[in-house]
Amino acid sequence: MQTLEAHVSIKVPEEYVLVKRTELQELRDETERGVTWGLADMKRELHIPKSLPWIREAVLKPNRQEIDRKNGGWCVFGEGTGHRYSVQPSGARKWFEENWKRIDWDEPLEGYE
């Protein structure tokens, strides 16, 4: 069996930096520390292709027990007129990643698409 050894040089453009994947995730987490999202922020940042009412009705409300801050979760539910939902980014990212398959993305909600 033959063995070849090669040394290759790859130029990385000046505006790029190579970092470990774990370090990149730590940097992302750090930028979100102490930040609170509203529902529109969550929709945008998590690239959720549904309307805000759909997200509330088809995802948040059915999973309230699990995600409500009162139960140790990542969402503060807005109650009544003028009260907004507040979302902890790191908790929402993790939950959506782990539960993506549980969500019925095709669930029709009249007037909420």
Side-chain angles (χ1 to χ4, degrees), residues 21-99:
R21 189 177 310 269
T22 55
E23 289 178 28
L24 177 61
Q25 188 57 50
E26 288 172 6
L27 288 170
R28 285 183 180 153
D29 292 346
E30 186 64 32
T31 62
E32 291 181 348
R33 197 166 312 230
V35 172
T36 300
W37 286 342
L39 289 188
D41 300 318
M42 183 180 78
K43 173 182 167 45
R44 181 185 63 249
E45 294 296 324
L46 299 181
H47 307 285
I48 300 172
K50 296 291 190 173
S51 69
L52 295 179
W54 189 95
I55 294 167
R56 275 192 301 272
E57 299 300 322
V59 178
L60 301 182
K61 287 182 180 178
N63 294 290
R64 185 173 186 147
Q65 288 289 71
E66 182 179 350
I67 65 175
D68 195 321
R69 182 191 67 168
K70 293 175 184 174
N71 300 325
W74 48 266
C75 184
V76 175
F77 282 75
E79 302 292 341
T81 305
H83 292 86
R84 299 175 43 136
Y85 283 69
S86 296
V87 174
Q88 178 193 35
S90 59
R93 280 189 196 282
K94 182 178 182 208
W95 188 89
F96 270 89
E97 186 65 32
E98 292 172 355
N99 295 283

